[in-house]
Structure formats: structure tokens, C-alpha cells
Amino acid sequence: MALRSLLSKRTLGLGFGQVRGLVTFSLPDLPYDYSALEPAISGEIMQLHHQKHHQTYVTNYNKALEQLDDAMAKGDAPTVVKLQSAIKFNGGGHINHSIFWKNLIPIHEGGGEPPKSSLGWAIDMHFGSFEALLQKMNAEGAALQGSGWVWLGLDKELKRLVVETTANQDPLVTKGASLVPLLGIDVWEHAYYLQYKNVRPDYLNNIWKVINWKYASELYEKESP
Amino acid sequence: MHAAAAPLSCQPPKSSFPHWRKSQPRKCSQKAHHASITARFELKPPPYPLNALEPHMSRQTLEYHWGRHHRSYVENLNRQVTGTELDGMPLEDVIVASYNKGDLLPAFNNAAQIWNHDFFWQSMKPDGGGQPSGDLLKLIERDFGSYGSFLTNFKSAAATQFGSGWAWLVYKANKLDVGNAVNPYPSEDDNKLVVVKSPNAVNPLVWDYSPLLTVDVWEHAYFIDYQNQRANYVSIFMEKLVSWEVVSSRLEMAKARAEERAREDERKRREEEEEEFGDPEMAEMYLDNETDESEFE
Ligand SMILES: [Fe+2]
Ligand SMILES: [Fe+2]
């Protein structure tokens, strides 16, 4: 019932009068052209990934939320429970991809430039060196079976950086309530298949050239108490 | 059984027997002989040319899917099992052993994916699809109500396997947990068709089910031809590619296996009863059996 009141409050807050108004999510624009990350990630991949995959997560998330709202209005508990997996999957897909696009940036705009300042120091402290972090994330990303994500996260409670993987579209927060994602790398096949085929390690090696460490640093500074 | 990359039917030549080939009658083929030196498990080609499933599944998809993915599962597994306790086991035994009650050993993913892909290639044929017939159709109607509702069931399993994995039609001939894994359908309702889905490499052998049909819902299976339209891919797979003849023959094998097992259980039960009376002829029969089997090894 918490979600229902949340939905109502939010829609009311947005100025919609009806109690059953719906929050809908929409596909965010990319802050760069589809081809701007080449040759690390091809324009074709970026376009499909954004327009088809991410869009489908958004569409299905909205659809599931609408059905949820409906089911809750009717007090249809079995349907509410049944919808949870679709909400987790599609909502997670929307959240994760929204972060992912911000984690990328063309080389000429600073892609791949290692973080300086406090995030740089924290990485050295927790992982030994920047290179060691990259190796760790490459290894964990390559070892992940099937579909999922490899993350650099900040544990706000323990005040430390962590490398985690999540399956499918599980967001990082499913691995701990105090985890904030600084950087997520999509290791679903759709993220690299057209270019790298079954060689996920090559994709992982190359993606570092277009990682936006400035964004991760800013987030780190904002989230660090 | 089924489509496993079968273990070699002859003993691999061990380095301690340098004259093995000369001194042995040629019971196994030249090909098997080579395979036993370089690779225990083989990359078996699909039972049709790589362009034979077009336009529903492109040659390019099969070139990558079979030629790269399937191949790398085989190469990785051969590397992984060498020198381990899994070395020399049949593929199905490697799968069950490395499933390790759900705490997967490294070999599991490669072993199961080899089996899954062999099984998947054989589940399709050019000009496939349509509707099943005969016993298979009867069982589908008995267990799902109608072919239509089976189809809905199967498509929904494929669609809701969030992430990589497989959807299956299986013949379920066991009742309870199987020691190795928690039976997803632990019921007394025995000898029936069931639709299941499985994540990543997991296959129904770990639940001791008999798989009849599978569709690969890893993205690599449909990305080139259908992009992210998994539902379309699964529909076309059912309409145009399924080989119902193969599924039917698997069903016959599964039923025979279930009957064989029931007989075996019955035999064991009787033997246990008879052993209580200490019948000496029984012991002799055991010995005969062992001798017989060793001749085939
Ligand atoms: Fe993605
Ligand atoms: Fe596959």
C-alpha cells in the first residue's frame, strides 16, 4: 500500500486532480550523438540500445505501473504480487540505463581520463590503483554468467568503494540499501554483440576509453558525507 | 540419451599404451580416435546447412551462434575438465555433477551450454513449425487443455525469463526432489508434460526431467535477426522452425525411459525382498552382468 500512496501523492503533487493519476517515465535523451563513442562503441549499437532496448524498458515499466495501479484500486492482491517481477525488471532496466548513458562520454570530451581529486584517491586506497580497479571490474564483468551489470559503487554506510555485479536488470541497490552506483557497465549481449560478438572481454577493455570519470567523481563528492 | 555430445564409445588411448591402435581391434572410428586425444567433447554441427533456416534464422546468426558461441563452450569445457575429477565423464554426468546442488562449479556453464545448444539445433528444421500430432498432441491436450494454451504457456515462459536463459517443454517423470536440486514441480502428479524456464545455462537435466523442446532466449540467439523483439522470435520459432517429429521421438524416448525406470525400481524392490531369503543364484547373476558389461567398455 505504500507504493499506492506514493503514487497518489506524487501525482497530486504534480497537480493532477484524479486520485488514480499515473506517474509515467520517459526515455532520457543522450548527451552525445549515437556515433560519438566510436570506435569503442558503434553508433548502431548505441542507437538500438537507446531507442529499442531502453525505450522498451520504459514502455513496459509504465505499462506495469498502470496495471499495478489498476490492481491496487481493485484490491486485486494476486495481480499486485504477480506484477512485481515485471516492475523490478523493467524499472531496473530504466534506472540502470539512465545511469549508464551518463557514465559514457566521447574521448574528445574527456572520455577515459582517470579521475583526479577525491574519487581518484579513494580508488587508490581501496583497490591499490586505478588500473587494479579496471582489472577487477573487467574480470568480474567477464565472469558474470548471462546478462547483468558490473558496478563501481559507494557504500555510504561503510564509507567505502565496492565493485559488485548484479544479474539481469537488478539495480545496484538490490545488493545493499546503502549502495550508490557511481559507474555501471552493461554486460548484456545487446550492449556489445553487433561489434564484439561473443568476446565480452574486448568490449570491457575498450569501454574504458569512453568512461566519464568526471561524472562519477562529482557524484562521489556529492554522496560522500 | 538425447542429443548429448556422447562420450566416446571406445577407451581413449592412454599415453601408457603407445601401441594401442595397432594392438586393438578397430572398434572406434578414426574420427573418434583423434577426438579422444585433442578434445573430449566435440562441436557437433546442426543437422542442416547454416543457411537452411532462412529467412527465420539467418545464416549469420548461425555462423556466430554455432560457430562462435557453441564452439567456445566446447573449447572452454575441454580446457576446464582436463585433469579434474570430471575428466572422462559423459557430458550429462558433468552437467549434473558440476551443478553441485545449485552451487555451480566452473564447468557447469560450458557443459550445460554444449548440451543445450546441441539440443536446440536438433529442435529445429527447415520448413518446421505447424502443429504436433499423434501421442504428443494427445499429451499436450491432456496436460495443457489445448495446443493453443500450451503455446501461450511456452511463449510466456520464454518472455518472462528476464535475462538470458531457455524455455522448455519437458516430460516430467519424477515426483520429489532429486538429491541434486529442488524439483520446481514436486508433486505426485507424475508422467506429464510441463513447461519450465531456466536462467543462463541451467537445463532440466538437473531436475531429472526429460527435455523435449527448447528455445534459446539468450540475446545472441535473436539479436541479429530480431533485435530486441524476443516475442516475435519465439513466435516464429514455434510457427516456422520447430521440428515436431524430433519432439515426438524425444517423447517416445522419455516415456520408454520412465517405463524402464519404473521396471528397474520394481526389480530392485523385488531383489531386496529376495535377498532377505539369501538366494545364491542372485549373486551369480550379478557377477555375470558385470562380466558382460566390461566387454563393451
Ligand atoms: Fe542494456
Ligand atoms: Fe545460445
Side-chain angles (χ1 to χ4, degrees):
Chain A
M1 286 299 128
L3 185 54
R4 165 129 178 100
S5 57
L6 184 73
L7 284 176
S8 310
K9 257 184 238 158
R10 260 211 254 167
T11 48
L12 289 172
L14 288 169
F16 292 97
Q18 77 267 41
V19 183
R20 291 190 53 216
L22 281 174
V23 181
T24 54
F25 294 93
S26 55
L27 184 67
D29 286 334
L30 292 194
Y32 37 78
D33 290 341
Y34 288 131
S35 60
L37 305 180
E38 291 184 347
I41 306 176
S42 74
E44 198 186 357
I45 289 182
M46 289 303 294
Q47 186 170 359
L48 281 173
H49 203 170
H50 182 246
Q51 289 182 351
K52 299 262 181 164
H53 291 92
H54 192 171
Q55 178 63 63
T56 305
Y57 294 124
V58 169
T59 306
N60 290 338
Y61 189 31
N62 286 331
K63 210 184 287 171
L65 289 176
E66 197 185 319
Q67 288 168 348
L68 178 72
D69 197 54
D70 223 49
M72 285 175 120
K74 288 180 191 148
D76 180 356
T79 302
V80 170
V81 172
K82 219 176 96 190
L83 283 166
Q84 298 308 314
S85 60
I87 289 172
K88 184 181 175 196
F89 180 70
N90 292 297
H94 174 51
I95 293 167
N96 294 342
H97 286 89
S98 300
I99 297 167
F100 184 56
W101 308 134
K102 291 188 216 156
N103 287 140
L104 303 173
I105 194 167
I107 295 173
H108 62 86
E109 290 175 32
E113 265 175 42
K116 299 177 188 80
S117 69
S118 55
L119 178 60
W121 302 326
I123 287 172
D124 287 347
M125 194 170 85
H126 291 302
F127 303 104
S129 69
F130 180 66
E131 286 67 34
L133 168 67
L134 268 46
Q135 272 177 22
K136 186 174 168 61
M137 290 185 71
N138 282 350
E140 297 207 6
L144 188 145
Q145 278 302 317
S147 310
W149 292 77
V150 55
W151 303 94
L152 172 65
L154 168 67
D155 188 326
K156 289 179 79 167
E157 218 159 80
L158 300 176
K159 299 184 175 54
R160 57 165 301 145
L161 296 174
V162 292
V163 169
E164 281 282 357
T165 58
T166 56
N168 304 326
Q169 291 300 358
D170 293 355
L172 180 60
V173 72
T174 59
K175 285 288 175 92
S178 58
L179 294 180
V180 176
L182 302 179
L183 166 65
I185 297 178
D186 189 343
V187 294
W188 280 63
E189 288 177 321
H190 66 236
Y192 59 87
Y193 199 72
L194 287 179
Q195 202 174 345
Y196 297 96
K197 300 303 171 316
N198 62 331
V199 194
R200 190 191 288 173
D202 286 357
Y203 158 72
L204 286 168
N205 272 325
N206 281 341
I207 200 169
W208 297 113
K209 294 172 189 158
V210 290
I211 291 296
N212 186 349
W213 284 105
K214 199 162 159 266
Y215 170 78
S217 293
E218 286 166 9
L219 203 58
Y220 177 75
E221 272 154 40
K222 201 180 96 193
E223 297 285 352
S224 291
Chain B
M1 57 167 269
H2 299 325
L8 298 172
S9 55
C10 54
Q11 276 295 328
K14 295 273 159 52
S15 54
S16 53
F17 294 102
H19 303 300
W20 183 84
R21 273 190 66 202
K22 280 179 200 155
S23 59
Q24 292 288 318
R26 284 178 57 100
K27 274 187 185 171
C28 46
S29 72
Q30 185 72 12
K31 194 176 161 221
H33 173 68
H34 276 294
S36 65
I37 296 171
T38 55
R40 243 151 277 270
F41 300 107
E42 283 179 82
L43 176 67
K44 289 198 291 187
Y48 35 75
L50 296 187
N51 62 358
L53 303 181
E54 291 190 332
H56 314 299
M57 192 176 283
S58 66
R59 178 195 180 95
Q60 202 194 4
T61 289
L62 281 168
E63 276 171 357
Y64 290 129
H65 197 175
W66 174 72
R68 295 203 191 192
H69 289 267
H70 192 167
R71 184 186 307 278
S72 77
Y73 296 130
V74 172
E75 287 170 356
N76 290 340
L77 183 65
N78 282 323
R79 229 187 345 260
Q80 271 172 328
V81 301
T82 306
T84 71
E85 73 273 19
L86 302 172
D87 206 335
M89 278 189 191
L91 185 61
E92 287 153 338
D93 293 356
V94 173
I95 292 170
V96 173
S98 62
Y99 184 73
N100 194 29
K101 301 186 198 303
D103 185 13
L104 308 184
L105 303 179
F108 177 78
N109 289 296
N110 290 311
Q113 284 293 70
I114 296 171
W115 196 96
N116 295 346
H117 283 90
D118 281 331
F119 195 79
F120 177 57
W121 307 136
Q122 289 167 13
S123 297
M124 297 183 284
K125 65 168 193 177
D127 299 315
Q131 287 216 5
S133 56
D135 270 2
L136 177 61
L137 183 61
K138 272 188 214 143
L139 277 197
I140 285 176
E141 287 170 347
R142 186 195 71 184
D143 295 336
F144 297 97
S146 67
Y147 177 71
S149 93
F150 154 72
L151 201 58
T152 309
N153 237 286
F154 189 81
K155 285 180 181 175
S156 149
T160 58
Q161 176 47 49
F162 295 125
S164 306
W166 302 79
W168 306 83
L169 172 67
V170 303
Y171 185 71
K172 169 185 169 298
N174 61 9
K175 296 184 175 102
L176 302 166
D177 291 347
V178 288
N180 190 50
V182 177
N183 190 339
Y185 293 95
S187 83
E188 292 296 314
D189 212 357
D190 215 354
N191 293 339
K192 65 181 288 196
L193 299 179
V194 177
V195 166
V196 283
K197 57 188 173 183
S198 65
N200 301 334
V202 174
N203 76 30
L205 296 183
V206 305
W207 306 309
D208 199 30
Y209 294 169
S210 296
L212 305 179
L213 169 67
T214 195
V215 62
D216 187 344
V217 295
W218 284 60
E219 289 180 307
H220 65 235
Y222 58 90
F223 195 84
I224 292 172
D225 300 325
Y226 300 88
Q227 287 156 5
N228 66 333
Q229 306 297 307
R230 186 192 288 185
N232 285 354
Y233 154 70
V234 175
S235 292
I236 298 277
F237 173 86
M238 295 304 283
E239 279 164 33
K240 307 283 188 189
L241 294 173
V242 174
S243 173
W244 287 117
E245 292 81 357
V246 167
V247 179
S248 283
S249 70
R250 286 166 175 165
L251 175 63
E252 292 317 306
M253 284 166 63
K255 288 200 293 197
R257 177 171 170 250
E259 280 162 23
E260 173 64 28
R261 280 183 162 194
R263 274 199 297 275
E264 183 72 6
D265 289 348
E266 179 62 17
R267 192 180 65 80
K268 274 190 195 143
R269 196 184 59 76
R270 276 194 202 157
E271 267 178 22
E272 274 164 23
E273 275 176 17
E274 297 202 21
E275 257 171 38
E276 283 174 23
F277 300 102
D279 188 343
E281 273 180 37
M282 268 301 165
E284 259 174 51
M285 277 172 70
Y286 268 132
L287 282 176
D288 284 353
N289 271 343
E290 274 170 25
T291 319
D292 283 347
E293 274 167 23
S294 67
E295 271 173 19
F296 289 101
E297 279 178 3

